[in-house]
Amino acid sequence: MVAMSRGLTDQFSHLIPPTAEDQHEAISAGMVTVDASVLLTLYLYGAQARADFISALTMLGNRLWLSHQAALEFHHNRLLIMQDQGRSYSEMLATLQAYRAETQKLDLRVREFSNRTGMMSADRDRLLGFLTPSVAAALRMVEELKSDQEELGPTDPDPVLRQLESVFDGKVGGPLEEAAYENSVLEAERRIQHRVPPGYKDAGKGNSAGDYLQWEQTLIEVAKRKPKYLLCVTRDQKDDWLLRVRGKTFGPRPELALEAQQRAGCRLVIINPGHFLVLASTYLNTTISEATLEEGVRVADRVQELQERLGRVSGED
């Protein structure tokens, strides 16, 4: 029997990158999920940027969902991120204080030099202005930034966690059953070996199955809900999630788009947190300031560096 002919795109939609209209539909009506890196970024934002981001998540309502694996990775890395933040501010403050001590020595030497050489006071003050910048102002600025980041002790309540608890109440998936989990780990290993997305870029890491576990749990949930679109928000920019041609990103890997289509009947869209904020501002009736958008760009490299240094979660429940 001869198969019926079809149009040029009917069988190949997974090879066509999502359009701006797809992104509009995805954030307006699709199921939306985020990964651990997005939630951990909130610890690096200032108070206003964090409030803007959480407001955008809240506007999604019941369309927002978090996989068990993403939540697990968030909890495993949350305290590490918080500790690292506090240490970074402490190190910067110590550096500035040491520099202030040196500038005070330099100030004294200049004054001694001025007295010995009979330098006019105006020239002396001009020279001091070149050599001793306002370290005190820099110290105050870093102290203010540190205060905005809400450095927390081990027993202090975590305001970020408290806010996220409210946003994700009733929206976090459960773990896979034992047999399904074991099969998924085997499948993750197979995909790594054959370079099948997602997750093969994590080969050799402590929990190389993490990406695939998150993907599998997400596909199970979206297959139950049957939305037209699945929108994944992630800071992961590796090639085992995204299609790149000559260095330019076009959308999700076609293999992932096809898998989402076959298993859940949905179109897959993957975006980064900055683009999520832009779409939320445009389509979700929420206000995102320019300062927040700029801050998202600022912390992107910091998150990447932290993820590489801290690694992924090393085990399951």
Side-chain angles (χ1 to χ4, degrees):
M1 182 176 179
V2 179
M4 182 182 298
S5 297
R6 301 180 183 179
L8 181 62
T9 62
D10 293 340
Q11 304 171 72
F12 309 105
S13 60
H14 62 289
L15 296 173
I16 301 174
T19 63
E21 181 60 27
D22 287 323
Q23 293 180 359
H24 175 190
E25 292 292 329
I27 198 167
S28 300
M31 177 179 134
V32 182
T33 187
V34 301
D35 66 7
S37 69
V38 174
L39 301 184
L40 292 170
T41 298
L42 296 178
Y43 288 96
L44 308 182
Y45 277 133
Q48 184 57 55
R50 184 188 308 141
D52 286 348
F53 204 105
I54 289 178
S55 175
L57 291 176
T58 302
M59 293 298 293
L60 296 168
N62 289 329
R63 295 189 295 111
L64 178 65
W65 185 81
L66 185 68
S67 71
H68 180 270
Q69 181 65 25
L72 181 64
E73 293 187 13
F74 166 75
H75 282 291
H76 272 271
N77 287 290
R78 178 177 66 89
L79 296 179
L80 293 173
I81 293 284
M82 292 165 59
Q83 288 179 341
D84 191 85
Q85 278 290 89
R87 184 168 62 250
S88 295
Y89 281 104
S90 296
E91 290 172 353
M92 187 69 250
L93 288 170
T95 299
L96 287 172
Q97 288 163 352
Y99 182 61
R100 180 171 62 179
E102 290 302 316
T103 60
Q104 289 170 342
K105 293 179 184 178
L106 182 59
D107 181 281
L108 180 60
R109 292 295 300 274
V110 169
R111 294 180 186 280
E112 291 174 349
F113 170 76
S114 173
N115 291 335
R116 289 199 304 267
T117 61
M119 180 183 290
M120 295 181 64
S121 59
D123 290 335
R124 179 202 64 202
D125 293 343
R126 184 163 172 254
L127 178 58
L128 287 171
F130 289 143
L131 299 178
T132 55
S134 181
V135 181
L139 279 165
R140 286 195 300 271
M141 179 179 177
V142 175
E143 287 282 9
E144 290 171 1
L145 291 170
K146 181 181 180 183
S147 177
D148 286 344
Q149 290 293 337
E150 299 173 291
E151 183 181 4
L152 304 172
T155 60
D156 293 333
D158 179 352
V160 178
L161 179 61
R162 185 169 61 247
Q163 290 173 300
L164 289 175
E165 267 190 305
S166 176
V167 172
F168 286 99
D169 185 27
K171 300 169 187 173
V172 181
L176 297 171
E177 294 183 358
E178 184 176 357
Y181 171 74
E182 292 175 356
N183 288 335
S184 293
V185 171
L186 292 174
E187 173 63 9
E189 293 173 355
R190 184 193 72 81
R191 292 190 179 214
I192 289 173
Q193 182 179 356
H194 296 285
R195 297 182 64 81
V196 178
Y200 66 78
K201 285 284 188 176
D202 289 333
K205 292 188 177 180
N207 180 26
S208 56
D211 274 11
Y212 178 71
L213 288 170
Q214 179 177 311
W215 177 240
E216 174 66 13
Q217 291 167 359
T218 300
L219 288 182
I220 291 172
E221 181 66 20
V222 76
K224 294 176 184 176
R225 299 191 182 204
K226 302 188 184 303
K228 186 176 179 181
Y229 286 90
L230 168 62
L231 178 62
C232 296
V233 185
T234 177
R235 285 200 178 277
D236 195 334
Q237 298 296 299
K238 297 194 299 294
D239 293 344
D240 56 350
W241 282 101
L242 298 170
L243 172 65
R244 287 196 177 87
V245 179
R246 295 182 178 177
K248 185 174 182 179
T249 300
F250 284 87
R253 285 284 296 260
E255 301 95 323
L256 298 177
L258 180 60
E259 192 171 6
Q261 184 183 91
Q262 292 176 336
R263 289 188 54 182
C266 66
R267 184 147 170 76
L268 175 63
V269 178
I270 299 179
I271 60 175
N272 62 43
H275 195 49
F276 167 74
L277 289 174
V278 171
L279 292 178
S281 178
T282 305
Y283 300 117
L284 295 183
N285 194 31
T286 186
T287 301
I288 307 296
S289 70
E290 285 296 325
T292 294
L293 297 178
E294 292 174 4
E295 192 161 357
V297 174
R298 177 185 63 80
V299 303
D301 291 341
R302 174 70 171 147
V303 173
Q304 179 70 23
E305 183 268 332
L306 281 172
Q307 285 183 308
E308 291 175 355
R309 182 153 54 83
L310 298 178
R312 299 182 67 87
V313 64
S314 57
E316 279 288 326
D317 284 342

